[in-house]
Amino acid sequence: MYTPSLFRNDDLKAQHAMIRRHPFGLLITAHGGELHTTHLPFHLDPSRGPKGTLEAHLARVNPHRAALEAGAESLVVFKGPDGYVSPRWYADPAENVPTWNYVAVHAHGRPVTTEDPATLLRYIGRLTDEHEAYIERPWSIAEAEAHAEQLLPHIVGFEIRIEKLEGKFKLSQNRSAADRVGVLREFAKSRDSGIQEMLELMRGIYKEDGSFR
């Protein structure tokens, strides 16, 4: 991923936080002369490996499965918040052009597949518990374990021990303090949850006058 130094974020905690907040990733694997892509929810286990380990599963009939079983090098793209930035928000609109602020984290590694029923149930259980935590009456896989076990032959689980993590947090770092104040002001007017998340990130690195903290 092309990442100018101003937008590069190597903070492992920040990268992991973004993966947890946006766990629905795009898995990309090149194998057999083809480029396989699958959108999947991932569970991140930060305790396994220096950069953490990703867990997921996909349908057995998915052609992507063969690439994973071959252990082909893979990339998982996690897309964070993004938003359009108008030149009108800058101190000098006539001397600028539109741009886009956004956050992305790329995780690289080689997949290891599993068909072990106990491991698959563990993968599914962890992923489910993570997202059910926000539900008023959380559902547990234990409530439908018999049904889940019937579905296990139709899926393949895999994990990717992250070998390389890339974080790109493009949040107006290349702009003047006055320009950043304008972007912060306009983002604050939006009701979009993604824009509000980006505003939260920007407020974490800028003071009210647009200077770095």
Side-chain angles (χ1 to χ4, degrees):
M1 173 167 59
Y2 170 62
T3 308
S5 59
L6 281 173
F7 307 142
R8 180 172 174 173
N9 190 325
D10 294 325
D11 186 320
L12 186 62
K13 289 184 178 179
Q15 294 170 338
H16 280 182
M18 194 54 57
I19 291 174
R20 288 197 189 92
R21 200 162 185 173
H22 300 274
F24 196 70
L26 173 61
L27 173 67
I28 305 170
T29 310
H31 178 67
E34 293 186 52
L35 193 62
H36 301 272
T37 60
T38 304
H39 297 266
L40 294 169
F42 286 83
H43 170 74
L44 170 67
D45 184 344
S47 67
R48 297 174 58 208
K51 293 178 169 41
T53 297
L54 297 171
E55 299 173 353
H57 64 277
L58 78 173
R60 178 180 291 275
V61 296
N62 189 331
H64 202 149
R65 168 194 166 198
L68 301 183
E69 290 179 335
E73 186 173 353
S74 298
L75 165 68
V76 187
V77 176
F78 295 98
K79 178 184 172 299
D82 69 277
Y84 174 78
V85 177
S86 170
R88 185 67 63 195
W89 303 346
Y90 293 153
D92 190 353
E95 294 296 321
N96 290 282
V97 293
T99 189
W100 212 276
N101 277 6
Y102 62 93
V103 176
V105 175
H106 289 191
H108 302 253
R110 293 184 179 274
V112 176
T113 60
T114 181
E115 298 180 28
D116 174 63
T119 303
L120 289 174
L121 283 174
R122 190 164 62 248
Y123 282 3
I124 297 171
R126 278 199 285 255
L127 187 64
T128 301
D129 291 345
E130 185 174 6
H131 297 287
E132 285 286 334
Y134 306 99
I135 306 298
E136 185 177 351
R137 293 176 57 218
W139 180 89
S140 168
I141 195 170
E143 297 181 38
E145 189 166 347
H147 178 62
E149 289 176 348
Q150 294 177 0
L151 297 177
L152 294 182
H154 302 287
I155 65 173
V156 173
F158 66 95
E159 63 180 42
I160 298 176
R161 180 162 293 203
I162 301 172
E163 298 171 3
K164 182 173 74 170
L165 265 178
E166 299 175 283
K168 186 171 184 177
F169 289 55
K170 184 178 180 293
L171 301 170
S172 300
Q173 295 96 321
N174 60 329
R175 306 305 310 184
S176 67
D179 287 348
R180 289 194 287 262
V181 168
V183 176
L184 287 165
R185 181 184 62 244
E186 296 303 321
F187 278 174
K189 296 177 182 178
S190 176
R191 295 183 180 180
D192 181 85
S193 60
I195 297 295
Q196 288 301 306
E197 181 183 351
M198 194 150 42
L199 179 64
E200 176 187 334
L201 291 170
M202 292 181 70
R203 284 174 171 168
I205 60 177
Y206 303 128
K207 300 177 183 178
E208 288 188 9
D209 63 1
S211 62
F212 286 95
R213 293 188 180 279

